[in-house]
Amino acid sequence: MLHAFVDESVAGRYIIAVVLIPASEVAAARRFMRGLLTGGQKRIHFSHESDRRRARILTGIESLGAEHRVYSTKNARPARLACLERLVPDLAAAGVQRLVIERDDSLVEADRRLLYQAGLDYAPELAYTHLRAKEDLLLCVPDAIAWCWSRGGQWRARVAAYTTEIAL
């Protein structure tokens, strides 16, 4: 039984990053991520962190031992649909029971339609919700992976060792 956490990046290629965590390890992973917060932080937003802190956060993410995937496409307008159409059956086949998507109020209704079109109706065991990263700190993990993948160079190389890319 797995939970999937999803965030996107639109820098260059359109990317949806996914982290898959066994349901039995979700609570411990959340506690761990909470321990990475500093000062008054309510969430980790990778683009706002220093390089030194990014490296520390990635070391923590690596210690979780989770599975990471990046779905990417060059197509701008249908990109989200293309990624979700591929992502949903993949997650259902992997045994994911809960999909958590970082909430963007402007996309929630469109996501509902997209998820239906993407075949969620054929995977009734896959429940989904939209949450903000401060509501579920595990959304900070795909945020970090998406940022690194989009940034390229040493950052992509660092996460590429444990991230599978599905290019569309």
Side-chain angles (χ1 to χ4, degrees), residues 34-47:
R34 196 172 305 114
L36 292 176
L37 297 176
T38 60
Q41 274 187 319
K42 293 182 181 177
R43 65 162 292 184
I44 295 167
H45 197 277
F46 217 64
S47 66

Side-chain angles (χ1 to χ4, degrees), residues 6-23:
V6 173
D7 195 9
E8 69 180 352
S9 172
V10 292
R13 292 177 65 94
Y14 179 85
I15 292 171
I16 288 185
V18 181
V19 60
L20 302 173
I21 300 176

Side-chain angles (χ1 to χ4, degrees), residues 139-157:
L139 287 166
C140 299
V141 177
D143 173 72
I145 300 302
W147 185 91
C148 290
W149 207 264
S150 294
R151 185 62 120 181
Q154 69 178 12
W155 295 107
R156 181 183 289 191

Side-chain angles (χ1 to χ4, degrees), residues 94-112:
V96 171
Q97 291 190 317
R98 185 166 191 255
L99 171 60
V100 181
I101 303 167
E102 182 159 12
R103 185 179 188 93
D104 177 336
D105 289 333
S106 69
L107 295 173
V108 171
E109 283 305 314
D111 277 356
R112 287 188 182 132

Side-chain angles (χ1 to χ4, degrees), residues 44-100:
I44 295 167
H45 197 277
F46 217 64
S47 66
H48 299 155
E49 301 292 344
S50 69
D51 284 351
R52 187 176 188 185
R53 179 127 163 81
R54 286 182 186 123
R56 268 190 304 217
I57 293 165
L58 288 175
T59 298
I61 287 171
E62 291 159 3
S63 76
L64 294 175
E67 180 182 345
H68 303 270
R69 298 178 185 176
V70 169
Y71 293 80
S72 66
T73 183
K74 288 182 182 178
N75 302 333
R77 190 171 190 308
R80 192 170 177 93
L81 175 59
C83 289
L84 288 172
E85 281 178 336
R86 177 67 191 271
L87 179 140
V88 169
D90 285 357
L91 296 184
V96 171
Q97 291 190 317
R98 185 166 191 255
L99 171 60
V100 181

